Amino acid sequence: MTTAFAAAPEGAATATIPPAAAEPGKDVVHALNNAFAKVFESVAPSVVIIEVTKKNDGSEGLNFDDLFFQGQPDDNSQRRAPRNLQPIQSEGSGFLVRPDGYIFTNFHVVEGADRVQVKLKDGREFPAKVVGTDEKTDIAVIKIDAANLPVVQMGDSDAVRVGQFAFAIGAPFKLDYTFTYGVVSGKGRSKLFTSGGYSISDYLQTDASINPGNSGGPLCDIDGRVIGMNTLINGLNRGLGFAIPINLAKEIGAELIAGHKIVRPWLGIRIETLGDDSSIRDLFKGIEKGVVVRTIEADAPAYKSDLRPFDVITQVDGTAVETDSQLQHEILKKKVGQDVELTVWRKGQTMKVPVKTGELPNEIARASNEPIKPAQPKQEDVGKFGLQVQDLTKEVAERLHLGVQQGVIVTDVSDNSIAAQQNIQREDIITEVDGKPVNNVASFREALTKADPKRGVLLYLDRKGSKTFAVLKAGS
């Protein structure tokens, strides 16, 4: 078909780009096109597809394979009885880091696996064994029995810049060796994944498409160097993917390959950045930046020190910390059993508090004590705050196995009250009000009478061995 175009009026501007001007632009596009293709060609041989088989105990819901690959329902098929549940099969990705068959992947890819099978780009398949795992960083190392395998080139995740190209390779939805690209859209994304209230990684964020099955695969730069391990899908097709920085994966992976147990230093405190809770900001007059100690865990290293709830930590061994993440990272640099000096702001004064680090436990234990019955003598209702308290007697302390002998015990908290909003719980022991010790209900009520509820009343609490605080504020 021939299409006629009207001639442009004489002297009018033309939209046609002269061939000489267009060629340099094409050269740039072609060069970029070749660069992208070379990333895949150089990295893909070192990427593996991991097939995992797990026992099905009936607790698993629909997985992603069910959602995307299920066939048409068969009316003649019989429902499987629970005793005949088929094993669960899933896929993930990984990448070779040593020619003798060591592979990095995610912990959650191989967690609970009865059988792990690895497929290489050249079509070969090998059974794999799990060498070691670290749940808190979601990193695992597996190994296949092979030699002279192609390995990835490692990059430096600390040198990654927001805005640079990023490429992901993996096996989403059983589509082997899918290649996607985008940019690094953020760095230092913390608190995406926590274990026991403890967040280890600062993730790289990318808009390169990452879907189920990409987990454990590499995130690469334009030179084909691995800068991260893909993980943590934040919803499908939302343009948000995350990767564990490769520097962390290298560090943990080397320890796992060497057969070492991953141990981390721990103080046993729950913290927040000063200013995150605006309702208590007025109680910190005289300090602008730091990390508030919310809770000191029972029997934790910090419990044996002079650190107190409501302290504001400003330095760790002389290094300033302004956020909870910074404090956590400074502690992670220490060794288990090392003496650490915390600079602390407490009620307008700065002091030094030494703490010896302990080992971060796999699970932070929670005491489960027998509930107290609210119908006890001398119980009093602190109406405006929604609290009911009673004297802490020696008999109650012994019956509930409490480690504290002084204070008043909370026997009830009204729903939707100020106390409930501050997460005060039954069986909490109130030991101080605005820094003044509480011995019984009478002294507790007297302290509340003298306090300013508009500014906020600071309560020190003992909760099943842990030390924490709450602020009762009128109108909050």
Side-chain angles (χ1 to χ4, degrees), residues 219-234:
L219 187 72
C220 310
D221 64 14
I222 191 70
D223 296 310
R225 295 174 301 204
V226 177
I227 56 175
M229 179 194 295
N230 298 322
T231 187
L232 284 175
I233 305 151
N234 190 8

Side-chain angles (χ1 to χ4, degrees), residues 172-471:
F173 307 122
K174 297 186 177 180
L175 303 173
D176 292 358
Y177 293 93
T178 296
F179 182 68
T180 60
Y181 84 95
V183 297
V184 174
S185 47
K187 290 181 63 175
R189 301 302 196 212
S190 60
K191 304 176 187 174
L192 300 175
F193 172 77
T194 61
S195 177
Y198 213 71
S199 175
I200 307 292
S201 298
D202 276 344
Y203 296 89
L204 300 174
Q205 178 185 325
T206 180
D207 63 351
S209 183
I210 295 175
N211 288 301
N214 276 106
S215 286
L219 187 72
C220 310
D221 64 14
I222 191 70
D223 296 310
R225 295 174 301 204
V226 177
I227 56 175
M229 179 194 295
N230 298 322
T231 187
L232 284 175
I233 305 151
N234 190 8
L236 298 178
N237 302 318
R238 291 186 182 177
L240 286 177
F242 297 94
I244 300 165
I246 196 60
N247 289 5
L248 177 63
K250 283 189 291 187
E251 177 186 338
I252 299 298
E255 292 293 307
L256 294 176
I257 289 173
H260 297 160
K261 176 188 175 185
I262 305 298
V263 296
R264 294 185 175 88
W266 179 62
L267 297 184
I269 57 178
R270 294 184 182 268
I271 55 179
E272 69 179 35
T273 302
L274 179 62
D276 279 359
D277 187 347
S278 59
S279 67
I280 63 174
R281 188 67 182 87
D282 290 344
L283 297 176
F284 294 102
K285 295 297 185 186
I287 185 167
E288 297 298 324
K289 296 178 179 179
V291 182
V292 180
V293 179
R294 292 283 329 191
T295 300
I296 300 177
E297 302 286 355
D299 300 323
Y303 192 90
K304 302 163 189 170
S305 74
D306 293 329
L307 196 67
R308 302 197 69 196
F310 211 67
D311 283 351
V312 180
I313 300 171
T314 58
Q315 294 181 9
V316 176
D317 284 338
T319 300
V321 289
E322 297 182 358
T323 67
D324 49 6
S325 294
Q326 288 176 357
L327 174 59
Q328 213 167 67
H329 288 172
E330 286 302 315
I331 297 302
L332 283 170
K333 293 177 184 177
K334 311 301 179 183
K335 297 185 184 304
V336 174
Q338 181 175 343
D339 290 318
V340 177
E341 185 180 73
L342 305 178
T343 302
V344 168
W345 181 95
R346 181 185 297 167
K347 298 176 185 175
Q349 295 185 340
T350 299
M351 59 189 68
K352 306 290 186 181
V353 178
V355 184
K356 184 187 290 289
T357 65
E359 180 182 335
L360 176 66
N362 286 331
E363 293 295 337
I364 298 173
R366 294 286 183 188
S368 178
N369 293 330
E370 177 188 349
I372 187 170
K373 296 180 177 64
Q376 297 285 342
K378 293 186 181 178
Q379 179 171 295
E380 292 205 22
D381 179 22
V382 187
K384 62 182 176 182
F385 294 123
L387 274 176
Q388 286 186 348
V389 298
Q390 73 174 57
D391 288 339
L392 178 61
T393 63
K394 183 179 179 181
E395 291 74 23
V396 170
E398 289 178 352
R399 180 161 59 86
L400 296 179
H401 310 292
L402 301 176
V404 61
Q405 303 291 326
Q406 172 189 305
V408 296
I409 186 166
V410 177
T411 56
D412 202 12
V413 180
S414 300
D415 293 341
N416 303 317
S417 64
I418 295 173
Q421 291 169 13
Q422 287 298 310
N423 195 35
I424 295 178
Q425 302 171 13
R426 289 179 58 195
E427 300 182 23
D428 282 352
I429 311 300
I430 302 172
T431 59
E432 295 181 23
V433 176
D434 282 343
K436 297 178 179 61
V438 169
N439 298 312
N440 49 40
V441 171
S443 62
F444 176 60
R445 293 189 69 87
E446 181 182 355
L448 282 184
T449 302
K450 294 178 180 178
D452 181 3
K454 291 184 178 179
R455 179 173 178 265
V457 183
L458 174 62
L459 306 183
Y460 284 89
L461 308 174
D462 186 286
R463 178 173 296 158
K464 297 178 181 176
S466 296
K467 300 174 184 176
T468 188
F469 72 87
V471 176

Side-chain angles (χ1 to χ4, degrees), residues 38-57:
K38 284 181 179 178
V39 171
F40 178 77
E41 291 163 1
S42 63
V43 179
S46 306
V47 177
V48 303
I49 309 304
I50 301 171
E51 296 181 340
V52 175
T53 304
K54 305 178 185 181
K55 287 189 178 70
N56 189 347
D57 59 5

